[in-house]
Amino acid sequence: MSETSWLSVWAGALPEMLDGLKLSLLITVVVILIGMPLGLLLSLGSGSRLKIVRWPCFAIVEIGRGTPALVTLYIIYYGLPDIGLTFSALISSFIGLSITTAAYSCEYIRSGLRSVPRSQIEAGQALDLKWSDIYRKIVIPQGMRIAIPALLGYSIQLFQMTSLTYNITVREITGISYSYGLQTFQYLAVFALAGLLYAAVSTLCTILVAWLERSVALH
Amino acid sequence: MMIDTIVWPVLMGLPLTLLLSVSAFAIGFVLAVPISLASVSKSAPIRGLAQLIIWIERGIPPLVWLMLLYFGIEIGTVRLTSLQAGILGLSIVSMGYLSEILRSGFKAIPNGQFEAAQALGLGYASRYSRVIFPQAIRTMIPSFTTYFIGLLKDSTLASAIGVGEMAFKASLVSRQSSQAGVTPFFVAALFYILISIPIALLARRTESIQLEGGR
């Protein structure tokens, strides 16, 4: 196989691949917007003094983290229709990856909230603030700032995780690559291009994240 | 009835799940040692090469590695079997992560230890194998355990290239019997959670034993 044939495969595949990339990025962004706020709720819930709130939150997090993301996707896309819940592949990928993301980000956020100095909470109590205000105005803003680097790191991993949605027929980068390989039999060239795209975007995000982290640190 | 038609068939995937994760971890670890040593090398080109290798295999998602190896690699007319491609792909991915864990473990060892080993006239190999490695490995156990549990879950990806591990069996059972529905997936999920728990507990135990022994 000559290099020119690789290049011609790449040139042919690139437009579709970029469409796939857009879809991968869309999934990443939607899942961040759904999963991470859910993770915050779960982390507040699992810190609750009420057992009836705390235990279900713990259970959701443990099950969400313990179940492989691919199995979660299979459950939602292939499994749930059997009990009458049918979602499109894209919606299933939003739901499935959001569950995993909520469970993982809950852990990051929880450790962030925990590292807010105890004296900050005492200061809030001394000012006679309500618990909801102490959390809303003191603990969450400070704790989130601590959790942000980990959450950003996870987001890059999440972008790579979108490749799993290929298994439930979403045509993101991996899905496009597979069908393009099927047509041209140039699997190696096509998957190499896919790999490069993932690596390039992940690297760009890493650089962006490093920059963001610095600006968060400066506040 | 459910045990015969769902639980047992799903459980039949467990040996391959374990084979994939254990061998990928073992092969990845063996490959990771030279990479991590290269990444803390004093020579810039060697460091650069190690970083490039780590960048490539961490930048590409595990699933893409598996598909690239399974569909893309042809040596003459011979192609890798799905199990070979699965093990090799996961080994490549785990090599990247494990070498990062090893590197940070080496970095955590105080410089004085390196200097002391050098002062004793130990060569490069014995400096690492007898002084640095035994100390570093202790601090790395929690990271290795977390990574292994992650790898256990990543082994599900091999189902995409037809390896009959647990996720594959679960979808097979679900497709074959209309009554099974969503249950096989829940059964598989339960097994993944059940395997992870003893590993985490065992690791915590080894950790505390090691800490006591280290005193």
Side-chain angles (χ1 to χ4, degrees):
Chain A
M1 212 181 298
S2 68
E3 272 177 50
T4 42
S5 78
W6 265 50
L7 283 180
S8 64
V9 173
W10 284 14
L14 199 60
E16 270 187 74
M17 287 284 223
L18 290 179
D19 282 342
L21 173 62
K22 275 184 220 156
L23 198 53
S24 299
L25 289 172
L26 173 75
I27 298 172
T28 312
V29 171
V30 171
V31 170
I32 288 174
L33 292 178
I34 302 174
M36 290 193 177
L38 274 177
L40 174 61
L41 285 181
L42 282 174
S43 69
L44 290 175
S46 55
S48 163
R49 274 172 298 179
L50 297 173
K51 268 189 192 157
I52 198 161
V53 179
R54 194 168 69 224
W55 287 110
C57 287
F58 266 132
I60 293 171
V61 172
E62 285 311 314
I63 293 170
R65 272 159 46 101
T67 309
L70 186 61
V71 175
T72 310
L73 289 173
Y74 281 166
I75 289 175
I76 290 158
Y77 187 66
Y78 294 116
L80 289 189
D82 286 301
I83 53 168
L85 284 169
T86 306
F87 299 106
S88 75
L90 190 60
I91 300 289
S92 302
S93 68
F94 290 161
I95 301 173
L97 292 180
S98 294
I99 292 174
T100 306
T101 299
Y104 276 96
S105 53
C106 167
E107 290 294 295
Y108 298 132
I109 294 169
R110 190 156 61 190
S111 68
L113 296 185
R114 252 206 312 253
S115 39
V116 173
R118 177 98 209 134
S119 55
Q120 291 287 324
I121 297 172
E122 284 160 5
Q125 280 171 315
L127 288 172
D128 222 4
L129 292 177
K130 281 184 297 191
W131 268 108
S132 58
D133 281 337
I134 292 179
Y135 265 87
R136 208 158 45 86
K137 292 181 176 154
I138 300 173
V139 179
I140 293 176
Q142 293 188 48
M144 282 308 280
R145 187 164 283 158
I146 301 170
I148 277 174
L151 291 177
L152 291 175
Y154 179 81
S155 307
I156 299 172
Q157 237 178 297
L158 177 64
F159 166 68
Q160 295 203 346
M161 246 194 323
T162 58
S163 63
L164 302 186
T165 62
Y166 149 76
N167 292 283
I168 57 167
T169 74
V170 176
R171 283 176 56 79
E172 42 58 78
I173 303 176
T174 312
I176 300 263
S177 310
Y178 180 67
S179 60
Y180 209 83
L182 211 57
Q183 290 161 26
T184 59
F185 295 107
Q186 300 282 343
Y187 287 105
L188 188 58
V190 174
F191 281 117
L193 176 61
L196 268 181
L197 269 183
Y198 279 111
V201 175
S202 306
T203 309
L204 279 179
C205 292
T206 312
I207 296 169
L208 192 72
V209 162
W211 177 79
L212 270 175
E213 264 172 40
R214 270 201 307 275
S215 40
V216 169
L218 286 174
H219 54 97
Chain B
M1 178 210 85
M2 210 183 89
I3 297 210
D4 280 345
T5 55
I6 297 176
V7 178
W8 198 242
V10 170
L11 199 57
M12 295 297 271
L14 182 61
L16 275 183
T17 293
L18 292 176
L19 177 68
L20 279 166
S21 355
V22 171
S23 45
F25 189 88
I27 298 172
F29 186 83
V30 171
L31 296 174
V33 172
I35 299 284
S36 64
L37 290 176
S39 70
V40 294
S41 157
K42 282 192 189 107
S43 141
I46 294 182
R47 260 197 333 261
L49 185 68
Q51 272 158 4
L52 180 71
I53 294 173
I54 292 173
W55 177 77
I56 291 175
E57 35 82 83
R58 287 185 57 160
I60 299 178
L63 180 62
V64 177
W65 270 117
L66 298 188
M67 295 177 77
L68 190 142
L69 291 171
Y70 182 60
F71 295 109
I73 299 291
E74 238 172 310
I75 306 154
T77 51
V78 184
R79 264 177 49 181
L80 294 174
T81 66
S82 55
L83 184 60
Q84 287 165 343
I87 291 178
L88 190 60
L90 291 175
S91 301
I92 291 175
V93 174
S94 71
M95 171 187 96
Y97 285 90
L98 294 175
S99 62
E100 290 288 88
I101 297 175
L102 283 167
R103 189 172 64 103
S104 60
F106 293 150
K107 284 245 161 111
I109 302 293
N111 233 339
Q113 294 288 325
F114 287 90
E115 287 160 7
Q118 220 164 359
L120 286 173
L122 294 177
Y124 180 81
S126 45
R127 212 183 307 158
Y128 269 94
S129 66
R130 301 178 62 179
V131 179
I132 307 303
F133 214 69
Q135 297 184 62
I137 208 90
R138 191 176 299 161
T139 59
M140 293 182 227
I141 286 178
S143 316
F144 282 143
T145 316
T146 314
Y147 187 72
F148 182 75
I149 294 174
L151 197 57
L152 210 58
K153 284 179 260 168
D154 273 352
S155 70
T156 55
L157 304 183
S159 69
I161 55 168
V163 179
E165 45 66 72
M166 265 199 312
F168 183 89
K169 296 280 188 207
S171 57
L172 198 68
V173 175
S174 171
R175 254 177 290 148
Q176 277 171 349
S177 125
S178 52
Q179 290 125 1
V182 72
T183 322
F185 295 114
F186 282 127
V187 171
L190 185 70
F191 280 127
Y192 282 106
I193 296 172
L194 285 181
I195 314 163
S196 310
I197 294 171
I199 299 172
L201 288 179
L202 194 72
R204 204 169 299 165
R205 213 146 123 217
T206 354
E207 235 175 277
S208 55
I209 291 171
Q210 284 229 343
L211 282 179
E212 278 162 29
R215 244 180 244 158

